Amino acid sequence: MKISKRLLLLGLIAAALVMASLGAHPALAAGAAAGFDPKAVSDMTGFDPTKYENPSGEVVKIGVLAPFSGDAASVGQLYWATSAWVAADINKRGGIMVDGKKKKIALIKGDTMGKPATTKQAVEKLCLQDKVDVLWGTSGSHLTAIIQAEAAKYNKLHLNSHSLSDNLMEGKSFTPYTFQYIWPTYSVGNTLAKYYASRKERKFYILDQDYVFGHELAESFKAGLKQYVPDAQIVGEDYHPLFNKDFAPYLTKVKASGAEVIFTGDWMPDSSNLIKQSRQMGINTPIAGIFLDDINALIAVGPEGSKGMVFASQMLINYQDGIQAKWHEAWKTWPAPYNTALYEWLGSTTGSYVESLYWLLDVMQRAGATAPDKVIKAWEGDEWLGLIGEKLTMRACDHRVVRDTYVTEFVSPNKWYQDCAYLDQLVTIPAEFVTLAPPKDSERCK
Amino acid sequence: MKRHLLWLMAALAVLIVFPFIFGPLQTNLMVRFAIEALFAVSLNLLLSFTGLLSFGHALYFGVGAYGAALILTHLEGIPLVLAVLLSGLAAALVGLLLSPLLVRVRATAFTMLTLAFGQLLYVLCSKFREVTGGEDGIMGWTTPPLRLPGVFSLDVTQPLYIYFFALGLSGLGILAMWYFTKTPMGSVMISIRDNQKRVDYLGYQVVLTKAVIFCLSGFFAGLAGAIYAVFNNLVSVGGVLHIMVSFQPLMAILVGGIGTFFGPILGSGLLLMLEEATQAYPELAQMISGLIFIAVVLFLPGGAISFGARLRGWWQKRAYLRKAREIAA
């Protein structure tokens, strides 16, 4: 076949036009392999979360929704240290290119106090008074449900960093403004059940917080066991109030039940108190959970008390260079309350907070905008490589992340801490075993 | 009288233009003020006018709030005002049911019993997840519009309309309670506070009067709870039945002025303002409010409402001393 010069020229022009139009798409313009770039992290020497100050001028405002006071104030500190880190890093790089200019990041606290009514007030203040661009948080699915509803009401983007309930993104609860970064309870249940399929333990005692997340998590774990460990036994099941002060009555029942594993979804401060009180009572039954990375609690029970605990997470950092080295170096000068071992390295919880924010800001930069509709469009279906190089896919129809998950058994000695057992080898559970199917009742997912 | 009327008219005018001048955030703050003021005045009926200290008033507030949430969730198409009034009646019914036990005790025993009942309902609602939603609570129901057929239909999920709805209901509630204190039965109520035995000897029905007061106080606390539910579109045990919910109006009464009718309203406003002012320092907020509470109890036992009189007294004393010094010189 003979190709004329004119045809060749036309073909070249057409190809150039196609390339140019593809290049105009923000996601493709930035290259196919979007993700966290450890080399791009600024020199963070001198960074101190207690001295973080918002930049002046035009900024991207992030409303940080967390319990900054009350029983779970320690969780608020985790949120603050990590969000301040990401904001300071991005600001040192000059900000992100959105709305036609480079904008730095400003953080505004919204104190939920861990209570529903206060959460609603905090969101209202962030949206109406502070006029934030994004809401980020929080811990507690019942509180996140409120944030979701309010975010949709005020047309604000909401990144759910740490509420796992399966229901949040289903049925009437779904709103296009919210993205659930964290893994859902279904994935937790299946991750741990799959892990225990290859182990000898068969007697489990479920001890969870008495709210939607605790109950859903228990159901997910039971369903997972039924599928992967059919001969497993649930020898007891209890639900305690959030921010419980005394675990003794529950632990006494655990002891009497002959359980080989305590399964819990408790988060700080409950997880920390459960760990400490169980060991103080002489109950050394291994605990399996997803928020067991309060290093201060692990150190309190020592290597013997923390050994054998099974820790599952959506993201576990098992390297000490890159961002870990920079975080660790900066941490050495941090004052109270950030000068404890809990902040020494990026753990599963802190690492996840950091990862979720880096992803959000990267998506905003690729969208080239802060407007919710543009960010939503850029994020739906987005593929991104996370802090450990893991592939994260934001499923377009229900805004949940498809990802591999990880399990580890705490051992001592380890490369992280001398005074307690901690992670060493990671077991990867592939996404195909732990991914929650898109909701059947959703028109968007059909 | 004329001056009072003028003041009242001016206050009403300010309240009417308030949401148009300030934004929705401040308007929402006023809604909270209306709810808390009504709740505090309902408790004040027991504390300041009957001499009964209750540590479990959240019981009525919670019943009203859960009542409204359950009615609006399960009875589709029910008029909003009817749902709110039924919730208040449910709280009054609880007051009636508890009155055979509560009317027979006074002082510490009464306080402890109310605390026990309040906590009992808190635990029951926490455990009865199927109905109350437990710690998660009930949320997301569709709130019907405030409707007068053929005249208006207002969407009370909008800050402007919930403002007028909450302020109107709270205002009417407070007015009704104020009126009650001026009735003969209100006088008997105050007499019971001052000397229950003498009132009994005089032939008045102490037990019955107390039962009526419980029902009335419960009704208005329940009404406040119902407005809270409509406003927040959310009811949870922590938010409406927690022990701190019982202490909140108590603080408002003590800060505003115990023994007065309008002190609790002032106290509610002051506490809300304090809460807003300390929002930027969440770690210090509780400590600051605690310190202010201690300061009021120590230096202004009559509450903030007595501040003007105290200031006047201090000024008069100062003037008298100056004059005395001049005479002596």
Side-chain angles (χ1 to χ4, degrees):
Chain A
M1 193 181 135
K2 205 173 175 183
I3 299 168
S4 69
K5 277 183 184 171
R6 181 181 286 180
L7 199 65
L8 190 69
L9 194 66
L10 277 172
L12 281 171
I13 291 168
L17 281 172
V18 169
M19 292 298 284
S21 65
L22 281 175
H25 191 278
L28 290 170
F36 173 73
D37 180 4
K39 287 181 197 139
V41 177
S42 315
D43 174 12
M44 297 295 281
T45 316
F47 166 75
D48 177 352
T50 61
K51 290 186 182 134
Y52 171 82
E53 277 181 23
N54 279 330
S56 54
E58 280 196 73
V59 289
V60 176
K61 288 184 188 172
I62 298 179
V64 182
L65 283 154
F68 291 109
S69 61
D71 293 330
S74 54
V75 177
Q77 288 161 5
L78 293 172
Y79 274 88
W80 186 250
T82 49
S83 57
W85 168 276
V86 176
D89 173 26
I90 299 292
N91 290 345
K92 274 194 175 184
R93 299 188 215 175
I96 54 170
M97 190 72 186
V98 283
D99 305 330
K101 58 191 88 162
K102 275 257 180 182
K103 284 188 185 178
K104 291 187 174 178
I105 312 301
L107 303 174
I108 300 161
K109 280 182 183 178
D111 187 9
T112 67
M113 295 183 192
K115 296 173 190 167
T118 326
T119 301
K120 188 171 180 280
Q121 287 158 23
V123 179
E124 276 174 358
K125 185 186 162 285
L126 288 173
C127 295
L128 297 170
Q129 187 174 300
D130 303 316
K131 302 198 184 315
V132 296
D133 297 292
V134 189
L135 298 164
W136 180 67
T138 192
S139 299
S141 296
H142 57 317
L143 307 181
T144 293
I146 296 163
I147 300 171
Q148 276 187 204
E150 293 295 302
K153 187 171 161 186
Y154 296 114
N155 302 333
K156 297 287 178 192
L157 267 179
H158 167 222
L159 172 56
N160 167 11
S161 56
H162 255 80
S163 288
L164 294 83
S165 174
D166 291 347
N167 285 332
L168 287 169
M169 305 308 285
E170 293 185 359
K172 269 168 66 181
S173 301
F174 176 85
T175 98
Y177 291 94
T178 295
F179 289 84
Q180 187 177 24
Y181 157 82
I182 197 162
W183 57 342
T185 52
Y186 173 90
S187 304
V188 179
N190 280 276
T191 296
L192 278 165
K194 186 99 179 88
Y195 176 75
Y196 277 108
S198 56
R199 289 177 61 111
K200 63 179 191 311
E201 294 92 339
R202 288 296 177 264
K203 289 180 179 174
F204 298 90
Y205 197 104
I206 295 173
L207 185 54
D208 270 337
Q209 290 155 326
D210 192 7
Y211 75 109
V212 62
F213 159 66
H215 286 267
E216 268 188 21
L217 188 67
E219 289 310 314
S220 300
F221 184 56
K222 283 191 270 185
L225 285 181
K226 211 170 171 184
Q227 188 177 353
Y228 297 115
V229 199
D231 57 334
Q233 267 182 278
I234 303 295
V235 294
E237 191 173 345
D238 264 319
Y239 298 90
H240 62 80
L242 263 175
F243 316 136
N244 191 37
K245 301 284 188 293
D246 183 14
F247 283 93
Y250 305 103
L251 289 167
T252 310
K253 284 172 77 179
V254 170
K255 196 173 184 180
S257 71
E260 292 166 333
V261 176
I262 302 171
F263 171 84
T264 183
D266 283 9
W267 41 280
M268 275 170 64
D270 286 336
S271 57
S272 316
N273 291 336
L274 173 65
I275 291 169
K276 286 190 272 188
Q277 208 175 349
S278 61
R279 282 12 180 192
Q280 280 162 4
M281 287 175 69
I283 299 167
N284 284 315
T285 311
I287 300 172
I290 53 173
F291 295 111
L292 304 177
D293 56 342
D294 176 4
I295 307 305
N296 295 333
L298 297 177
I299 288 174
V301 299
E304 281 307 309
S306 47
K307 209 162 64 181
M309 286 188 191
V310 170
F311 183 44
S313 180
Q314 56 179 348
M315 204 274 293
L316 285 171
I317 306 176
N318 202 12
Y319 59 77
Q320 293 187 334
D321 54 357
I323 190 172
Q324 277 287 33
K326 286 183 179 172
W327 174 280
H328 183 68
E329 209 42 46
W331 167 82
K332 287 177 183 170
T333 61
W334 292 356
Y338 304 106
N339 56 354
T340 69
L342 175 61
Y343 293 94
E344 192 174 347
W345 297 99
L346 275 173
S348 160
T349 307
T350 45
S352 296
Y353 288 155
V354 165
E355 181 173 84
S356 73
L357 271 177
Y358 275 125
W359 192 7
L360 165 75
L361 295 173
D362 190 43
V363 171
M364 285 179 115
Q365 171 140 286
R366 281 183 282 134
T370 49
D373 55 335
K374 289 186 178 154
V375 181
I376 290 168
K377 200 173 166 189
W379 212 344
E380 286 182 347
D382 187 42
E383 286 186 1
W384 199 74
L385 300 176
L387 256 62
I388 54 172
E390 82 280 28
K391 187 177 143 193
L392 310 174
T393 306
M394 183 59 77
R395 202 159 57 191
C397 78
D398 61 351
H399 292 189
R400 285 188 185 118
V401 179
V402 178
R403 67 197 317 162
D404 292 343
T405 60
Y406 307 89
V407 189
T408 186
E409 183 179 343
F410 287 169
V411 293
S412 180
N414 58 75
K415 66 183 171 194
W416 302 93
Y417 307 97
Q418 281 184 342
D419 303 329
C420 68
Y422 198 55
L423 65 89
D424 183 30
Q425 299 297 315
L426 303 186
V427 176
T428 305
I429 311 289
E432 65 202 80
F433 293 106
V434 295
T435 303
L436 179 60
K440 284 175 191 152
D441 59 347
S442 163
E443 279 299 316
R444 291 167 56 101
C445 294
K446 276 178 186 164
Chain B
M1 187 67 194
K2 216 171 182 182
R3 214 179 65 170
H4 280 112
L5 204 67
L6 270 174
W7 273 110
L8 192 69
M9 297 291 276
L12 268 177
V14 169
L15 289 175
I16 287 169
V17 297
F18 187 91
F20 301 102
I21 298 172
F22 298 97
L25 195 71
Q26 274 71 28
T27 306
N28 283 348
L29 197 67
M30 284 296 282
V31 176
R32 283 173 55 205
F33 167 62
I35 294 166
E36 282 171 25
L38 179 63
F39 187 30
V41 173
S42 75
L43 177 66
N44 196 41
L45 218 54
L46 288 182
L47 184 59
S48 292
F49 290 88
T50 324
L52 295 168
L53 172 63
S54 167
F55 275 174
H57 215 52
L59 172 89
Y60 305 109
F61 187 82
V63 169
Y66 270 108
L70 290 168
I71 289 171
L72 292 173
T73 304
H74 299 293
L75 296 179
E76 220 170 285
I78 187 168
L80 182 64
V81 175
L82 182 63
V84 169
L85 289 177
L86 281 176
S87 310
L89 283 175
L93 188 68
V94 171
L96 186 69
L97 289 173
L98 296 180
S99 58
L101 280 170
L102 292 175
V103 291
R104 283 173 172 78
V105 288
R106 294 193 77 187
T108 313
F110 176 84
T111 307
M112 289 300 112
L113 210 54
T114 51
L115 176 69
F117 280 124
Q119 288 300 290
L120 178 70
L121 193 71
Y122 176 82
V123 174
L124 278 177
C125 286
S126 302
K127 294 291 166 198
F128 206 16
R129 282 178 55 84
E130 290 74 15
V131 176
T132 63
E135 194 88 34
D136 309 307
I138 305 169
M139 65 177 288
W141 63 81
T142 310
T143 306
L146 179 64
R147 195 180 299 150
L148 193 63
V151 184
F152 62 77
S153 177
L154 307 173
D155 177 10
V156 291
T157 59
Q158 296 299 317
L160 182 68
Y161 300 127
I162 184 69
Y163 170 80
F164 286 115
F165 177 71
L167 223 65
L169 270 184
S170 294
L172 285 175
I174 290 170
L175 201 67
M177 282 187 274
W178 178 78
Y179 181 76
F180 178 74
T181 62
K182 305 292 172 197
T183 59
M185 192 179 244
S187 301
V188 176
M189 170 175 76
I190 295 166
S191 310
I192 290 171
R193 175 195 68 189
D194 295 339
N195 196 331
Q196 185 176 318
K197 267 188 185 162
R198 179 168 286 185
V199 175
D200 203 8
Y201 291 152
L202 286 170
Y204 287 104
Q205 294 277 355
V206 171
V207 168
L208 192 68
T209 308
K210 273 187 170 181
V212 171
I213 297 163
F214 287 148
C215 291
L216 207 64
S217 174
F219 173 78
F220 288 112
L223 198 65
I227 304 170
Y228 170 97
V230 174
F231 171 55
N232 284 301
N233 198 235
L234 158 85
V235 174
S236 65
V237 281
V240 299
L241 285 166
H242 195 269
I243 190 162
M244 290 312 289
V245 179
S246 290
F247 288 151
Q248 206 171 307
L250 203 58
M251 285 270 282
I253 293 170
L254 294 171
V255 168
I258 190 167
T260 65
F261 187 85
F262 295 101
I265 304 174
L266 180 66
S268 302
L270 288 174
L271 288 180
L272 261 182
M273 276 162 62
L274 178 71
E275 195 185 309
E276 282 300 299
T278 53
Q279 228 177 27
Y281 316 99
E283 301 86 355
L284 300 173
Q286 283 177 339
M287 197 180 79
I288 293 170
S289 60
L291 284 174
I292 288 177
F293 179 65
I294 292 168
V296 166
V297 170
L298 284 179
F299 305 112
L300 207 62
I305 207 159
S306 68
F307 183 68
R310 288 273 293 222
L311 200 68
R312 226 177 6 252
W314 176 79
W315 189 256
Q316 279 168 354
K317 191 179 163 189
R318 198 164 162 262
Y320 173 78
L321 284 174
R322 199 188 314 137
K323 208 170 176 183
R325 266 197 302 271
E326 276 170 16
I327 292 167

